[in-house]
Amino acid sequence: MKRLGIFLGFTPKQLAPHEGISRLIGFITKGAVRSKDTSVTIAGPSWLRGEINALLDDAGIARNSIDIVTTNSVPYIVRIWTLSEYFRASPRRPRAKRFRFKRLLRKFLYLVVSWLSTSSTIVFVVGALLIAALALTLAIPILLVALFLAAVFLARRGIGRVMSRPLALRIKRKYVATRKRARVAMGIVDRVRESELSRLIRKLNRRKDVDVWYVPSMFWPEVAELNGKVVMAAPDIVFYEHPAQYTGEDFEGSLERITASLAAADHLISYSDYVKQHHMVERQGVPPEKVSVIRHGIVDMRDIEGNYGNREGALDVLHRYLFDKKHVLPRYLDGFRFDDVPFLFYSSQVRPHKNIEGLVATYEKILREHYRPVKLVLTAGIEDIDRIKDFINDRGLQRDIISLYSVPNKVLAALNRLAALAVTPTMFEGGFPFTFSEAYSVGTPSVMSRIPAVTEIIRDENLLDLMTFDPRDRKDMLHKILWGLENRQALLDAQRPLFDGLSARTWSTVADEYLQLMRSVGSK
């Protein structure tokens, strides 16, 4: 295999550089770059170029070492949506300017009222003529503004909805295995993305240098049209584990889209035996020989910290981040110091199966019933989740539960080092959670859910009982967290053999396994 292609079909702003899938792509890309006989091409729609560059920068990969291929220009509806988001997110104007505008508007209204109050026919007719002339002059600008606002509404209704609900995907699907077409109602974003991916694939197919395409998502059945072999990541199909949590129009068509994507792949990569057997083989009917299990490597936060690997350095990084982001973070965090503040830490996105609501409810008991003076720090954007937000507000926990959404890797390393305990309450994961090695590598122990991806790795029954809990049992979660806080060093010592065993599996090793598999698929 001379060149590895990485195909990305994310919608705008969906590829956050600091989240799990982006970091996985970064690890694989870095491993491929280090290989002497393989070069890398990353392909995506034009709107992803900035995100791709941010991903490379965050992973410490030189941009000039990667061939980036995108479509030629960003569609206008995406530009309009981006512009509307910019103005919506921009800081409010100074009060003086707002008052100045109000004063001008008030004066204009006074003039209109004075005109309508006149009894002079001449004054009334002259005023009417002036207003008619003004209306004619402004008609075209007003029409253009109305059209722009309509376009903004459509763009935000379509693209904005997908930004907050990445699985709300309803497009025309292509069933590769049976060649049957399903006609499905398509949303605005789906049409834009389908058109853009078609242009991208036509552009890529004119190239002859990519033998194998790595596709890190199961939501792009369009890859069936790519020349060359397709190796697709198949992390899990969480609908099978928690169907009640993934219902409604937000997730309509997602399972069909996954099925179509899997059928378009020549080979699949899962991260656990459980997902391979129960999701891919039994539920999707994929032949077992078409699925390889390649487990994740260790995430050692000491590599990310660099030369500041101590508590003081971590505090400096975190406090600098809070200062730089003070215009978007809650006001009470302006000047807030973490020097002597113990906290529980959970690094995760918001997903129904991540069990953030369960952790928040358990944390309240730790704080209010067991009187432990700790805070809870999350990297999930919980502000948009009404149930969690209402719970926090009703219980008066706004200053105790801190949400630092999508933090950079250096800040993530600092939070892991400073935490009293890392907690992973997820109901399900496709592979052993990153959170354990992220925390332990900088001296923080973990407690986590007892789920298949965890029990596959932790074979020591005593350690399993010590550090895991049933995520459906909040009392069990509560007891394990309290024990971990009270016996932090004992837990850290007990987890040393697990960490040492996982440390042997570096991301260079994982990348080599990916490349070896892709070479094998490409040679068939």
Side-chain angles (χ1 to χ4, degrees):
M1 182 179 65
K2 296 180 180 180
R3 181 173 289 274
L4 167 65
I6 299 177
F7 183 92
L8 307 177
F10 297 104
T11 51
K13 294 191 177 181
Q14 204 176 23
L15 183 63
H18 313 304
E19 294 179 354
I21 193 167
S22 299
R23 292 164 65 198
L24 176 59
I25 294 168
F27 288 135
I28 294 170
T29 303
K30 182 178 287 188
V33 168
R34 289 173 178 171
S35 175
K36 295 180 180 180
D37 64 340
T38 303
S39 52
V40 180
T41 293
I42 298 181
S46 51
W47 56 68
L48 285 185
R49 181 172 286 274
E51 281 90 338
I52 292 171
N53 284 329
L55 183 156
L56 296 176
D57 294 343
D58 202 53
I61 302 169
R63 296 184 186 182
N64 59 8
S65 66
I66 304 295
D67 179 24
I68 300 175
V69 179
T70 66
T71 44
N72 295 331
S73 59
V74 179
Y76 280 100
I77 191 169
V78 176
R79 297 184 190 185
I80 292 171
W81 176 82
T82 303
L83 186 63
S84 71
E85 288 294 294
Y86 171 79
F87 282 114
R88 187 176 70 162
S90 61
R92 292 183 177 179
R93 293 181 179 180
R95 294 177 62 85
K97 292 185 178 179
R98 297 207 304 273
F99 288 149
R100 191 180 305 138
F101 174 77
K102 288 181 180 179
R103 286 196 295 270
L104 290 173
L105 181 61
R106 190 179 295 115
K107 288 181 179 179
F108 176 75
L109 292 176
Y110 284 160
L111 287 174
V112 172
V113 170
S114 299
W115 167 64
L116 291 175
S117 301
T118 186
S119 58
S120 170
T121 302
I122 295 175
V123 171
F124 182 81
V125 170
V126 170
L129 291 174
L130 289 174
I131 289 177
L134 183 64
L136 289 173
T137 303
L138 296 178
I140 293 178
I142 290 173
L143 178 61
L144 292 175
V145 169
L147 290 173
F148 174 78
L149 292 176
V152 167
F153 172 77
L154 290 173
R156 286 178 59 180
R157 183 178 178 84
I159 296 175
R161 184 177 181 181
V162 171
M163 292 312 98
S164 59
R165 299 176 176 89
L167 296 181
L169 305 170
R170 293 167 298 174
I171 74 164
K172 186 188 296 179
R173 304 172 185 88
K174 188 172 190 179
Y175 286 87
V176 177
T178 61
R179 298 297 177 183
K180 292 181 180 179
R181 295 179 178 273
R183 301 193 63 84
V184 181
M186 294 168 58
I188 295 168
V189 171
D190 304 313
R191 293 181 183 275
V192 173
R193 183 185 51 219
E194 184 189 50
S195 176
E196 196 73 357
L197 291 188
S198 294
R199 282 195 289 270
L200 176 63
I201 289 172
R202 287 197 299 270
K203 184 174 184 177
L204 295 175
N205 285 344
R206 290 194 290 269
R207 301 168 62 106
K208 305 297 181 183
D209 57 341
V210 178
D211 306 310
V212 179
W213 288 98
Y214 170 64
V215 181
S217 172
M218 299 181 292
F219 286 92
W220 309 319
E222 296 86 355
V223 298
E225 302 297 335
L226 278 170
N227 291 341
K229 299 294 182 65
V230 172
V231 175
M232 183 177 293
D236 60 70
I237 304 178
V238 73
F239 313 128
Y240 292 150
E241 302 294 324
H242 302 281
Q245 292 180 312
Y246 290 90
T247 58
E249 66 176 15
D250 291 346
F251 307 104
E252 181 184 343
S254 295
L255 186 56
E256 292 93 333
R257 189 174 178 84
I258 288 172
T259 299
S261 298
L262 294 175
D266 296 285
H267 202 87
L268 304 175
I269 297 175
S270 293
Y271 311 140
S272 68
D273 295 324
Y274 181 89
V275 168
K276 173 182 176 177
Q277 183 60 33
H278 295 283
H279 291 190
M280 301 304 152
V281 176
E282 294 178 6
R283 302 297 295 270
Q284 282 289 323
V286 180
E289 62 273 13
K290 279 190 61 176
V291 188
S292 295
V293 175
I294 301 181
R295 302 185 193 280
H296 294 319
I298 185 177
V299 180
D300 193 332
M301 285 294 174
R302 291 171 297 186
D303 296 336
I304 296 169
E305 284 183 324
N307 56 7
Y308 79 82
N310 53 53
R311 181 175 177 81
E312 290 71 25
L315 285 168
D316 288 344
V317 168
L318 180 55
H319 291 151
R320 193 179 310 118
Y321 174 79
L322 295 177
F323 177 80
D324 291 342
K325 295 292 183 179
K326 64 181 180 181
H327 61 290
V328 295
L329 291 174
R331 185 170 297 176
Y332 70 85
L333 288 177
D334 187 4
F336 185 86
R337 303 288 299 182
F338 275 85
D339 300 70
D340 298 309
V341 179
F343 61 88
L344 304 173
F345 182 53
Y346 181 32
S347 174
S348 171
Q349 301 178 53
V350 175
R351 297 287 185 270
H353 65 282
K354 295 293 186 178
N355 202 19
I356 293 174
E357 188 173 351
L359 176 59
V360 167
T362 302
Y363 167 74
E364 185 200 17
K365 293 184 179 298
I366 293 170
L367 185 68
R368 300 276 168 76
E369 296 180 14
H370 294 270
Y371 311 110
R372 298 300 194 276
V374 297
K375 293 190 180 294
L376 173 62
V377 177
L378 306 168
T379 61
I382 58 176
E383 295 80 7
D384 297 328
I385 310 301
D386 290 338
R387 283 173 59 92
I388 298 177
K389 184 174 64 175
D390 291 345
F391 183 93
I392 291 172
N393 292 338
D394 291 345
R395 303 309 201 275
L397 297 170
Q398 297 93 327
R399 292 174 179 261
D400 296 302
I401 298 177
I402 300 172
S403 175
L404 301 176
Y405 177 65
S406 190
V407 296
N409 279 340
K410 282 190 176 295
V411 179
L412 182 64
L415 289 168
N416 274 290
R417 179 175 286 278
L418 297 170
L421 187 69
V423 184
T424 306
T426 180
M427 295 284 189
F428 180 81
E429 293 295 330
F432 190 78
F434 287 136
T435 51
F436 172 75
S437 60
E438 288 175 341
Y440 196 95
S441 63
V442 288
T444 300
S446 294
V447 292
M448 60 176 52
S449 299
R450 195 180 308 114
I451 54 177
V454 169
T455 56
E456 282 183 19
I457 299 298
I458 303 177
R459 300 295 186 178
D460 183 333
E461 290 295 330
N462 292 328
L463 180 59
L464 197 64
D465 180 64
L466 197 68
M467 65 175 283
T468 66
F469 51 81
D470 182 348
R472 298 164 296 183
D473 185 345
R474 293 182 182 177
K475 286 186 178 180
D476 192 15
M477 187 193 307
L478 172 67
H479 293 152
K480 289 296 166 62
I481 294 174
L482 289 173
W483 189 91
L485 287 172
E486 294 169 357
N487 300 274
R488 191 174 186 274
Q489 188 58 49
L491 182 56
L492 201 64
D493 293 341
Q495 291 176 338
R496 167 58 66 179
L498 174 62
F499 179 76
D500 289 343
L502 294 175
S503 296
R505 186 168 180 75
T506 66
W507 276 99
S508 294
T509 302
V510 175
D512 288 343
E513 291 180 11
Y514 271 79
L515 293 172
Q516 184 178 353
L517 174 63
M518 291 175 197
R519 290 188 187 101
S520 174
V521 172
S523 65
K524 293 180 180 178

